[in-house]
Amino acid sequence: MRYWGPMALAAVTVTAVTGGAAAAPRAPNWNRGTPITITVTNDRFTPSTVTLRRGQHYILRIRNLSNRKHNFSSPDFFALARVAPRDSGWVTDNKVDLAAR
Protein backbone atom coordinates (compact mmCIF):
# COMPACT_ATOMS: atom_id res chain seq x y z
CA MET A 1 0.00 0.00 0.00
CA ARG A 2 1.27 3.46 -0.83
CA TYR A 3 1.03 6.24 1.73
CA TRP A 4 0.83 10.00 1.44
CA GLY A 5 1.76 11.56 4.73
CA PRO A 6 -0.07 9.97 7.66
CA MET A 7 -3.05 8.73 5.61
CA ALA A 8 -3.59 5.82 3.28
CA LEU A 9 -3.95 6.95 -0.34
CA ALA A 10 -4.53 5.25 -3.65
CA ALA A 11 -4.25 7.11 -6.95
CA VAL A 12 -6.01 5.35 -9.81
CA THR A 13 -5.98 6.87 -13.28
CA VAL A 14 -9.07 5.87 -15.28
CA THR A 15 -10.89 6.69 -18.49
CA ALA A 16 -14.66 6.52 -18.36
CA VAL A 17 -16.04 4.34 -21.14
CA THR A 18 -19.38 2.73 -21.90
CA GLY A 19 -20.53 -0.20 -23.95
CA GLY A 20 -22.59 0.10 -27.09
CA ALA A 21 -21.94 1.31 -30.61
CA ALA A 22 -19.93 4.40 -29.86
CA ALA A 23 -16.89 5.63 -31.74
CA ALA A 24 -13.65 4.00 -30.66
CA PRO A 25 -12.19 5.99 -27.75
CA ARG A 26 -8.94 7.80 -28.37
CA ALA A 27 -5.86 6.44 -26.69
CA PRO A 28 -5.72 7.76 -23.13
CA ASN A 29 -2.99 10.12 -22.01
CA TRP A 30 -2.39 8.44 -18.66
CA ASN A 31 -0.30 11.41 -17.46
CA ARG A 32 -3.22 13.83 -17.54
CA GLY A 33 -6.69 13.76 -16.14
CA THR A 34 -9.16 15.67 -14.04
CA PRO A 35 -8.31 14.98 -10.40
CA ILE A 36 -11.12 13.77 -8.16
CA THR A 37 -10.46 13.20 -4.47
CA ILE A 38 -12.67 10.77 -2.60
CA THR A 39 -12.25 10.84 1.17
CA VAL A 40 -13.18 7.84 3.30
CA THR A 41 -14.04 8.13 6.98
CA ASN A 42 -15.59 5.60 9.35
CA ASP A 43 -19.11 6.40 8.26
CA ARG A 44 -19.02 7.91 4.74
CA PHE A 45 -17.43 8.61 1.40
CA THR A 46 -17.10 12.27 0.44
CA PRO A 47 -18.33 13.09 -2.09
CA SER A 48 -21.02 10.42 -1.93
CA THR A 49 -21.66 10.65 -5.69
CA VAL A 50 -19.18 11.20 -8.51
CA THR A 51 -20.36 11.91 -12.05
CA LEU A 52 -17.98 11.03 -14.88
CA ARG A 53 -18.28 11.81 -18.59
CA ARG A 54 -17.63 9.12 -21.16
CA GLY A 55 -14.25 9.43 -22.84
CA GLN A 56 -12.85 11.81 -20.22
CA HIS A 57 -9.74 10.98 -18.22
CA TYR A 58 -9.73 11.18 -14.43
CA ILE A 59 -7.27 10.63 -11.61
CA LEU A 60 -9.13 9.27 -8.60
CA ARG A 61 -7.33 9.95 -5.34
CA ILE A 62 -8.96 7.85 -2.66
CA ARG A 63 -7.87 8.88 0.84
CA ASN A 64 -8.65 6.88 3.96
CA LEU A 65 -8.77 9.19 6.98
CA SER A 66 -10.15 6.43 9.17
CA ASN A 67 -8.31 4.35 11.73
CA ARG A 68 -9.85 1.24 10.11
CA LYS A 69 -9.21 -0.45 6.77
CA HIS A 70 -11.75 0.38 4.06
CA ASN A 71 -12.23 -0.24 0.38
CA PHE A 72 -13.66 1.54 -2.62
CA SER A 73 -15.78 -1.13 -4.31
CA SER A 74 -17.73 -0.52 -7.50
CA PRO A 75 -18.06 -3.49 -9.87
CA ASP A 76 -20.18 -1.52 -12.36
CA PHE A 77 -17.68 1.33 -12.41
CA PHE A 78 -14.61 -0.85 -12.87
CA ALA A 79 -16.38 -2.94 -15.53
CA LEU A 80 -16.84 0.23 -17.63
CA ALA A 81 -13.58 2.04 -16.82
CA ARG A 82 -10.13 1.63 -18.34
CA VAL A 83 -7.48 1.70 -15.64
CA ALA A 84 -3.96 2.91 -16.43
CA PRO A 85 -1.63 -0.09 -16.63
CA ARG A 86 0.65 1.43 -13.97
CA ASP A 87 -2.32 1.66 -11.57
CA SER A 88 -3.88 -1.73 -12.28
CA GLY A 89 -2.25 -3.22 -9.19
CA TRP A 90 -4.47 -1.03 -7.02
CA VAL A 91 -7.64 -2.67 -8.37
CA THR A 92 -8.44 -6.26 -7.42
CA ASP A 93 -11.88 -7.84 -7.67
CA ASN A 94 -13.36 -4.45 -8.72
CA LYS A 95 -12.21 -2.66 -5.59
CA VAL A 96 -9.34 -0.65 -4.15
CA ASP A 97 -8.27 -1.67 -0.63
CA LEU A 98 -7.07 1.09 1.68
CA ALA A 99 -4.98 0.64 4.80
CA ALA A 100 -5.93 2.32 8.04
CA ARG A 101 -4.53 5.78 8.67
Side-chain angles (χ1 to χ4, degrees), residues 1-23:
M1 185 60 57
R2 296 179 194 170
Y3 293 93
W4 182 265
M7 65 194 84
L9 171 78
V12 180
T13 306
V14 298
T15 296
V17 297
T18 60

Side-chain angles (χ1 to χ4, degrees), residues 8-59:
L9 171 78
V12 180
T13 306
V14 298
T15 296
V17 297
T18 60
R26 67 185 188 279
N29 178 346
W30 296 117
N31 296 315
R32 301 186 72 169
T34 302
I36 297 174
T37 299
I38 300 170
T39 302
V40 182
T41 59
N42 284 337
D43 60 348
R44 72 179 46 121
F45 287 82
T46 305
S48 61
T49 302
V50 175
T51 302
L52 306 176
R53 295 184 57 177
R54 180 176 51 135
Q56 298 297 311
H57 309 297
Y58 300 92
I59 300 171

